[in-house]
Amino acid sequence: MKSLASYYFLYYLGQAALMPYLSLYLSEKGISSTLIGLLLSLWALTSVIAQPIMGMLNDRLNDRRQILMLCTVLAPILAFGFYFFDAYFALLIFSVLFPWFQSSSGSLSDSLAVEIGSKAGFSFGSIRLWGALSFSLASFVTGIVYERTGYGSIFFYFLFINAGVLAVLFLFPKIKASEHKLSMFDQAKQVISNKRFLRFIGICLLVNLSIAINFSFLPIYFKTMGFNKAWIGTTYAIAAIIEVPMFWVSAKLNSKIGRLPVLCMAAACYAVKCLTLAFTHDVYLVLASQLLDGTAYAFFASATVEMVKSYSKDETQATFQTVFAAITTGLGGIIGSAFGGILIDHMGAPFLYLILFVLCITAAVLFVISYKMSSRSISHNHLQNS
């Protein structure tokens, strides 16, 4: 457990050191906003394609740490492509190569952590909270550091931290692949034929759309509402801080009341937060609503990873986790970024959050229905066995 906790602490420390500042670095380098938007769109599209492929490859290897180690080594090296090159064509190439490995590492980490945790007897949430802790701490420190050292230093910090991540990976127990290996075609077939898993992805996509849109357009919401933009960083920090204890709480709730009820609670928290932003004109109420945001994210992230594991078999665990991440986070981010801007331009920011409320409350209802269907199925199987 200590090695996993150390891994998540360092991994999200590295993410906080680089990811929030990469677009800002490119802007200060003289790259136009239009090209930055193109690079980020290509980045998101690459992530959707890369994650399932890397997951399938991971499930076929004899040591399930190997692909994750490869991502840990190559991601910081490829990130330097944005540092050393200015040509548009070179930036486009690195916007495919870098996210191919960077985006895959998160879902592969979660797959490995859930597998190790299930054998060692601890929950994913109790481990994931260390990532929330490091990310929240870094949110306060990185901006101050980069103002002094320059935004070009993000790549050196990312490389240094990933060296620590790689060292911790060697402490993980060797996880062998299943003796019953499937072809990539059969792996894909298992995903497509699992209707319960696909329904689950569909419900989670509603929530992820709300997460992606809120993360991308919250600063614009502040601008259109006339709030002091100096509070924007504080809003993200509040959500990040509350995630730490809430990941611990979610671990307890997952085992006590079940994952689907926890997911329903997460969707309901997001719904209340979005409804608040749709109607309030008080910036302090917006700040307070970020407590719901952080709580919802902790509940949602911890329960979904464990739910996905329950749908998969031993030989397809990484495949299912990466497919889930590609569709909900990757595709959800692409759709959310496109339609969020359109809705704000034509209907206004409050109306956008009203739409997000509808998406989240719909997801909450669907989670309740799924829970009831699952309970009936368990009861039916119990009666048959009796």
Side-chain angles (χ1 to χ4, degrees):
M1 183 172 176
K2 289 182 179 179
S3 60
L4 271 173
S6 300
Y7 173 86
Y8 271 94
F9 186 90
L10 290 173
Y11 176 80
Y12 279 96
L13 191 66
Q15 298 303 301
L18 177 72
M19 304 306 293
Y21 301 98
L22 189 52
S23 60
L24 181 59
Y25 168 78
L26 293 174
S27 179
E28 292 205 340
K29 199 175 182 179
I31 307 300
S32 69
S33 297
T34 301
L35 181 59
I36 292 174
L38 175 62
L39 295 177
L40 294 178
S41 298
L42 183 58
W43 190 326
L45 180 60
T46 300
S47 300
V48 172
I49 298 170
Q51 291 186 73
I53 294 175
M54 297 293 273
M56 290 178 183
L57 291 173
N58 189 76
D59 279 326
R60 293 177 57 79
L61 293 177
N62 289 326
D63 185 353
R64 291 183 175 174
R65 299 174 303 175
Q66 291 176 342
I67 293 290
L68 187 54
M69 288 177 173
L70 181 68
C71 292
T72 303
V73 171
L74 291 183
I77 293 174
L78 291 168
F80 273 98
F82 300 107
Y83 182 79
F84 288 113
F85 294 94
D86 298 321
Y88 289 173
F89 182 70
L91 292 175
L92 288 171
I93 291 176
F94 283 104
S95 291
V96 173
L97 295 177
F98 171 67
W100 186 280
F101 296 97
Q102 185 275 333
S103 66
S104 301
S105 61
S107 49
L108 291 175
S109 300
D110 293 345
S111 174
L112 197 60
V114 171
E115 188 170 359
I116 294 173
S118 63
K119 294 178 180 178
F122 53 83
S123 66
F124 175 75
S126 63
I127 293 299
R128 180 60 177 80
L129 67 87
W130 292 98
L133 175 62
S134 66
F135 198 93
S136 62
L137 292 174
S139 297
F140 286 104
V141 176
T142 50
I144 300 172
V145 171
Y146 295 150
E147 282 293 323
R148 298 179 179 179
T149 62
Y151 289 100
S153 61
I154 61 177
F155 303 102
F156 296 93
Y157 284 115
F158 188 57
L159 178 65
F160 176 75
I161 294 170
N162 269 269
V165 173
L166 182 63
V168 173
L169 275 173
F170 281 101
L171 301 178
F172 281 20
K174 184 177 180 180
I175 305 295
K176 294 183 178 180
S178 170
E179 295 180 359
H180 180 52
K181 292 184 180 180
L182 301 175
S183 67
M184 295 184 74
F185 175 80
D186 288 331
Q187 287 173 301
K189 186 178 178 181
Q190 281 208 14
V191 172
I192 296 171
S193 62
N194 194 321
K195 294 181 180 179
R196 291 175 62 234
F197 176 60
L198 296 179
R199 283 197 298 267
F200 180 71
I201 286 180
I203 301 172
C204 290
L205 182 58
L206 298 176
V207 180
N208 272 93
L209 281 171
S210 302
I211 295 172
I213 291 173
N214 175 71
F215 187 83
S216 299
F217 292 99
L218 186 60
I220 297 176
Y221 169 84
F222 265 71
K223 180 181 178 181
T224 58
M225 296 299 291
F227 296 150
N228 186 343
K229 292 188 284 294
W231 287 109
I232 293 175
T234 304
T235 60
Y236 290 118
I238 291 171
I241 291 170
I242 198 63
E243 284 176 19
V244 179
M246 287 301 108
F247 266 110
W248 181 84
V249 172
S250 68
K252 300 296 182 182
L253 290 175
N254 282 331
S255 60
K256 189 173 183 179
I257 66 174
R259 298 159 191 149
L260 285 172
V262 170
L263 287 170
C264 180
M265 292 168 62
C269 285
Y270 274 127
V272 174
K273 178 258 174 71
C274 293
L275 189 64
T276 301
L277 268 63
F279 290 102
T280 189
H281 294 278
D282 186 345
V283 68
Y284 296 107
L285 194 56
V286 173
L287 293 174
S289 72
Q290 287 299 101
L291 295 172
L292 289 172
D293 189 285
T295 299
Y297 181 79
F299 284 9
F300 187 77
S302 63
T304 51
V305 170
E306 295 191 5
M307 279 296 296
V308 172
K309 182 183 185 299
S310 71
Y311 291 123
S312 65
K313 297 180 180 178
D314 185 55
E315 62 268 21
T316 56
Q317 287 190 41
T319 301
F320 273 65
Q321 293 287 354
T322 49
V323 168
F324 177 81
I327 296 176
T328 57
T329 304
L331 189 60
I334 294 172
I335 297 172
S337 298
F339 286 95
I342 294 172
L343 285 171
I344 284 182
D345 286 341
H346 289 85
M347 304 300 295
F351 182 80
L352 171 65
Y353 276 95
L354 188 60
I355 295 297
L356 299 187
F357 163 75
V358 173
L359 292 178
C360 291
I361 205 68
T362 302
V365 172
L366 292 174
F367 280 132
V368 171
I369 294 172
S370 297
Y371 176 69
K372 289 184 176 180
M373 291 174 60
S374 177
S375 299
R376 289 173 185 170
S377 177
I378 293 172
S379 299
H380 180 71
N381 292 336
H382 180 71
L383 289 173
Q384 283 188 330
N385 293 333
S386 298

